[in-house]
Amino acid sequence: ATVSDLQVTGENIQWYDAATGGNLLASTASLTDGQVVYATQTVGGCESLDRLAVTVQITNPQAPTGDAAQSFCYIATVSDLQVTGENIQWYDAATGGNLLDSSSALTDGQVVYASQTINGCESLESLEVTVQITNPQSPIGDIAQSFCDSATVSDLQVTGENIQWYDAATGGNLLDSSSVLTDGQ
């Protein structure tokens, strides 16, 4: 921040580095957090004797925190992303870029950037998050399987990972591996 960023009400404002005397500060002079500067105003050619003391507060929020890779099944939107911070904003680029709406659909491999805003100041740095969307295919195997005498769910043979068996094509109940199968089921 610079002196030109300071805002007070008055006419022909001048900024100094001391309550009396001191140095006149240029509008381009850099300010630091906690620095005290003093303002005068000039009305009708007369500069005020009293100076307004202003303490500079510079907030420089850090980027929010969270996982740099976030995984979802099938579909995801910006609102599904999880980070820790205040007033999170999502962008499609690390700097500049477009602000993303919370309902914006995400794609596999997409990289998005989160900032946070604290006390009206948005973080200059952002958290980069790579989106991973998995859309697993169904397992493969014989659609008709025959057994002698009796069989359980664990006897069914298919190829895939982390196989789950249900009693309906959609929804339905998860079957335990010891569930007994019936003919024609």
Side-chain angles (χ1 to χ4, degrees), residues 23-185:
N23 300 303
L24 179 64
L25 299 173
S27 64
T28 58
S30 293
L31 300 170
T32 58
D33 189 41
Q35 180 179 1
V36 178
V37 291
Y38 303 87
T40 65
Q41 71 171 331
T42 301
V43 178
C46 298
E47 186 173 11
S48 60
L49 294 177
D50 292 330
R51 295 179 179 177
L52 173 68
V54 174
T55 302
V56 177
Q57 290 181 314
I58 298 176
T59 303
N60 186 13
Q62 300 298 310
T65 58
D67 293 334
Q70 298 191 25
S71 300
F72 304 95
C73 295
Y74 306 111
I75 60 171
T77 63
V78 169
S79 64
D80 295 319
L81 296 166
Q82 298 293 313
V83 296
T84 301
E86 296 180 35
N87 305 306
I88 303 298
Q89 298 284 345
W90 289 96
Y91 295 91
D92 61 3
T95 57
N98 299 302
L99 180 64
L100 300 174
D101 185 81
S102 64
S103 64
S104 296
L106 299 171
T107 59
D108 186 43
Q110 182 176 3
V111 178
V112 292
Y113 303 86
S115 71
Q116 70 172 325
T117 300
I118 300 173
N119 296 328
C121 296
E122 188 171 7
S123 59
L124 297 175
E125 300 293 320
S126 58
L127 172 67
E128 180 178 309
V129 175
T130 301
V131 177
Q132 298 168 334
I133 297 179
T134 304
N135 188 7
Q137 301 300 311
S138 61
I140 57 173
D142 293 333
I143 61 172
Q145 296 189 26
S146 299
F147 304 96
C148 296
D149 298 319
S150 67
T152 63
V153 169
S154 65
D155 295 319
L156 294 168
Q157 298 294 311
V158 294
T159 302
E161 294 180 34
N162 304 307
I163 304 298
Q164 298 286 333
W165 291 96
Y166 293 87
D167 62 4
T170 58
N173 300 303
L174 178 64
L175 298 174
D176 183 83
S177 63
S178 64
S179 297
V180 176
L181 299 172
T182 59
D183 188 37
Q185 183 176 4

